[in-house]
Amino acid sequence: MFPQSQYFDPNLGMMAGITPMNPMMPGLSMVPAPLSQDIPVIKEIIHCKSCTLFPPNPNLPPPATRERPPGCKTVFVGGLPENATEQLIMEVFGQCGDITAIRKSKKNFCHIRFAEEFTVDKALFLSGYRIRLGSSTDKKDTGRLHVDFAQARDDLYEWECRQRMLAREERHRRKMEEDRLRPPSPPPIVHYSEHECSQLGDKIKDDGKFAEAVRVLLTWLERGEVNRRNANNFYSMIQSSNSHIRRLMSEKSQHEKEMEEAKEKFKTALAGILAQFEQIVSVFQAASKQKAWDHFSKAQRKNLDMWRKQAEEIRNMHNEQLMGIRREEEMEMSDDDMEDAPDSKDSEDSGVSQAEALKEENDSLRCQLDAYRNEVELLKQEQGKNQPIRSEEDSTHSQQLSFLQQALQGMQKQLLKMREELKQREAELEKSLEDKQQLKNQVQNLKEGLQNLQNTHVMQVRIISTFLHVHPFGASIEYICSYLQRLDTKINPSEVEALLSRLPCTFRQELTGVGASLEKRWNFCGFQGIKST
């Protein structure tokens, strides 16, 4: 047995998945943990009952070991004395843990299989020790132990079984987690019946239950539960569904109206903000004049200049945003005018609506025709089963049959006529679609030309405004055109004069001079309305 004064490796039981070694195990004691990981564990002499184990030289490198096989419980022990017995091996390695089998060779080695995996690490601690039986120094009674991992089929089989069991548990756990997180299935939809049909017809007419009722109706149609007997019921339910289109269109128009009101409110608020910005900018401009500017200090002038630049930048940004909104509205209005001019769209929409109306009427006539045929067949069956008992009933049945046959012939003629009209409408619709595509191309070209013209006019107005702003006494139309022609040589004075005449709130024409020196000058008056307010 190991004496209490000897030390064993304290880190053998500290590996992941290995339980720590019991310090109260007889013959073993735990050494205190080293101060740092760099300090090696000191191995001492181990005295057993019939042998003594001497530690290896601490300066030598640790003995080499092979890669640990998965689930290893078996070790190879070499360097045993020739006179070693299984009792001696059990005495030395039995302190590491329970031994299940010892396979000793005739040579100086053996294989030891332990009951637990962590005991293998304890056995490897003894690798490198010199063993001596009793006090004899004979070669047959001494040896140097070499302990290493051994590959055993039993260990691998047990490890694979344990891995398969863990995989099964993991799959079961994942399945339970997926079942827990899976959303609940929707409730099943009942099959068609007269009672369910009557209830569904009431639900379709209810705005709150319409979506659910339509889903049930769609499922019934996809299942193929429509037949000649219940076709009228399905037709009435489909007709009720169609009546909800008017409600949806009214809701859409209401939302569009709210959106237009919100846009108008935003535009009004933006215009008010822009007016206040203009007033603030005019305050800074008034403060920048010489009679007020000289009374401010240098620091105050610097702050005023910085504030003026910031206010002008924000004012220009909001002004561009407002101008963009107005341009969009003008483009929308121009589009509406251009679309109102040709009646192709109205004629096309009317043709489409008429074609759809003809198709619906055609379907309804087919349904009525099938209903009449069903009634005729039922009457014939009743006449075949029930022999004529009373002459009055026979006469009424024959009259009904003749009426139904006449109605059937009329419906067939009407159906053929509707089919011919439908073909004509489809041909007209195709022609109107071609005309519509041509008109669309023309409208697109006009839009592009109008957009380019508007952009050119806006740019010219900005340049002229800047030019006249630095000429407070005005400039002649030739002087303005000479400045603009440096940017675009295609500009002529007549176009510029017409553009200035269309903006009386921004540009004003004045006459200066007398007699032969009379001259027309254009001035910039865009800020006068703001200053007057």
Side-chain angles (χ1 to χ4, degrees):
M1 295 179 62
F2 295 161
Q4 293 290 335
S5 60
Q6 303 305 320
Y7 298 117
F8 209 73
D9 189 2
N11 296 322
L12 289 179
M14 301 303 171
M15 297 178 66
I18 300 176
T19 57
M21 192 169 59
N22 186 4
M24 299 305 293
M25 182 183 297
L28 295 176
S29 64
M30 299 295 291
V31 71
L35 297 177
S36 66
Q37 297 295 332
D38 298 333
I39 301 176
V41 178
I42 300 174
K43 295 184 178 182
E44 300 290 342
I45 299 174
I46 301 175
H47 297 280
C48 297
K49 184 177 181 180
S50 58
C51 65
T52 304
L53 300 176
F54 297 93
N57 187 357
N59 296 325
L60 295 177
T65 58
R66 66 166 63 181
E67 185 179 357
R68 182 170 189 155
C72 180
K73 295 182 182 179
T74 306
V75 295
F76 166 82
V77 181
L80 291 172
E82 295 181 5
N83 295 331
T85 60
E86 288 189 8
Q87 184 178 1
L88 176 66
I89 297 170
M90 180 69 72
E91 179 182 354
V92 174
F93 290 94
Q95 301 297 327
C96 299
D98 296 335
I99 297 176
T100 58
I102 297 176
R103 294 191 296 274
K104 188 177 182 302
S105 174
K106 294 180 181 180
K107 302 284 185 175
N108 299 334
F109 69 89
C110 69
H111 288 84
I112 304 173
R113 190 166 191 264
F114 293 95
E116 300 293 339
E117 291 185 24
F118 68 90
T119 54
V120 173
D121 299 294
K122 298 179 181 180
L124 288 175
F125 179 74
L126 300 177
S127 182
Y129 271 82
R130 290 183 294 107
I131 183 171
R132 187 175 67 184
L133 301 179
S135 59
S136 174
T137 58
D138 190 3
K139 184 177 180 181
K140 294 183 179 181
D141 295 334
T142 59
R144 186 180 296 276
L145 298 178
H146 175 68
V147 185
D148 197 356
F149 299 108
Q151 289 184 346
R153 285 177 293 180
D154 295 340
D155 298 344
L156 182 61
Y157 176 73
E158 290 181 3
W159 181 79
E160 289 177 350
C161 291
R162 186 165 63 254
Q163 295 299 318
R164 285 193 292 269
M165 181 186 68
L166 294 175
R168 286 194 299 271
E169 293 178 355
E170 180 67 18
R171 287 195 299 271
H172 178 70
R173 187 190 63 78
R174 290 182 180 177
K175 186 176 181 301
M176 294 295 291
E177 187 69 16
E178 290 176 358
D179 294 341
R180 187 179 66 84
L181 298 176
R182 183 181 294 115
S185 301
I189 297 176
V190 297
H191 288 275
Y192 173 82
S193 65
E194 294 293 335
H195 176 68
E196 295 292 339
C197 180
S198 62
Q199 288 187 348
L200 188 65
D202 297 335
K203 289 181 180 179
I204 289 177
K205 296 176 182 178
D206 188 1
D207 295 340
K209 301 178 181 178
F210 175 72
E212 180 182 358
V214 166
R215 186 171 62 87
V216 177
L217 177 60
L218 178 62
T219 305
W220 285 355
L221 292 171
E222 290 177 349
R223 285 178 181 172
E225 298 193 10
V226 185
N227 52 40
R228 291 185 177 180
R229 294 183 180 274
N230 57 18
N232 292 330
N233 295 333
F234 275 96
Y235 178 77
S236 63
M237 288 188 290
I238 294 171
Q239 188 176 9
S240 300
S241 302
N242 185 47
S243 63
H244 279 265
I245 294 177
R246 292 189 295 273
R247 176 181 63 86
L248 296 175
M249 293 300 294
S250 63
E251 290 182 2
K252 179 176 176 290
S253 62
Q254 181 66 25
H255 290 307
E256 288 178 351
K257 184 179 178 182
E258 292 177 358
M259 185 176 67
E260 292 296 332
E261 291 177 355
K263 282 185 178 179
E264 190 66 28
K265 185 177 179 181
F266 172 71
K267 187 175 71 172
T268 305
L270 188 61
I273 293 171
L274 184 60
Q276 295 180 13
F277 270 119
E278 294 289 350
Q279 293 176 356
I280 295 171
V281 171
S282 63
V283 168
F284 283 118
Q285 289 177 354
S288 300
K289 292 183 178 179
Q290 196 70 27
K291 57 184 178 181
W293 188 257
D294 294 338
H295 298 285
F296 295 112
S297 63
K298 187 175 181 181
Q300 291 174 346
R301 291 177 185 175
K302 185 177 180 181
N303 291 334
L304 288 173
D305 194 14
M306 181 179 63
W307 294 341
R308 180 180 58 80
K309 290 180 180 179
Q310 291 177 356
E312 287 179 353
E313 289 177 0
I314 298 172
R315 188 270 313 272
N316 294 334
M317 181 179 65
H318 284 77
N319 195 3
E320 289 178 359
Q321 187 176 4
L322 184 61
M323 291 291 290
I325 294 173
R326 290 178 178 173
R327 282 198 301 270
E328 289 178 359
E329 292 179 352
E330 291 176 357
M331 290 176 65
E332 289 177 359
M333 292 175 64
S334 63
D335 293 343
D336 295 339
D337 296 339
M338 295 174 69
E339 288 177 0
D340 290 340
D343 297 331
S344 63
K345 186 174 181 180
D346 295 338
S347 62
E348 179 193 349
D349 294 339
S350 62
V352 173
S353 61
Q354 289 178 4
E356 291 179 355
L358 288 173
K359 287 183 180 179
E360 291 179 358
E361 193 170 355
N362 190 5
D363 295 338
S364 65
L365 289 174
R366 283 182 181 175
C367 294
Q368 293 178 11
L369 185 61
D370 292 337
Y372 283 130
R373 285 177 179 173
N374 293 334
E375 291 181 4
V376 171
E377 290 178 359
L378 290 174
L379 288 173
K380 286 182 179 179
Q381 291 176 2
E382 289 178 359
Q383 286 182 358
K385 291 180 181 179
N386 302 325
Q387 295 298 329
I389 299 172
R390 290 177 290 183
S391 59
E392 295 179 357
E393 293 181 357
D394 294 339
S395 61
T396 55
H397 283 307
S398 61
Q399 290 177 0
Q400 290 179 359
L401 185 60
S402 62
F403 290 153
L404 289 173
Q405 288 178 352
Q406 292 177 2
L408 183 61
Q409 292 176 359
M411 297 293 289
Q412 288 178 349
K413 292 179 181 179
Q414 191 175 1
L415 182 60
L416 294 174
K417 185 177 178 182
M418 297 295 289
R419 284 181 179 175
E420 292 177 358
E421 292 181 358
L422 181 60
K423 290 181 180 179
Q424 293 178 0
R425 295 291 183 184
E426 287 179 352
E428 293 176 358
L429 181 61
E430 290 179 358
K431 186 177 180 181
S432 62
L433 287 174
E434 294 177 358
D435 296 340
K436 178 189 174 183
Q437 187 63 31
Q438 294 177 0
L439 289 174
K440 277 186 178 179
N441 296 333
Q442 294 177 3
V443 168
Q444 185 66 27
N445 295 332
L446 290 174
K447 282 182 181 179
E448 292 177 357
L450 182 60
Q451 182 67 28
N452 295 332
L453 184 59
Q454 287 179 352
N455 294 336
T456 305
H457 285 177
V458 170
M459 185 60 68
Q460 290 178 2
V461 168
R462 291 179 179 175
I463 295 172
I464 294 171
S465 300
T466 306
F467 180 77
L468 292 179
H469 188 67
V470 299
H471 292 77
F473 298 106
S476 62
I477 193 70
E478 291 78 8
Y479 188 23
I480 296 172
C481 286
S482 64
Y483 179 74
L484 292 176
Q485 284 175 355
R486 294 182 180 180
L487 303 176
D488 188 0
T489 57
K490 297 179 181 180
I491 297 174
N492 52 34
S494 60
E495 293 180 357
V496 176
E497 189 171 5
L499 179 62
L500 296 176
S501 301
R502 288 202 301 269
L503 301 172
C505 297
T506 308
F507 304 103
R508 183 178 59 216
Q509 188 180 23
E510 294 180 353
L511 297 175
T512 59
V514 179
S517 62
L518 188 65
E519 185 181 4
K520 294 181 180 179
R521 290 179 176 269
W522 288 90
N523 292 330
F524 178 71
C525 59
F527 295 146
Q528 291 183 1
I530 299 175
K531 292 180 180 179
S532 63
T533 56

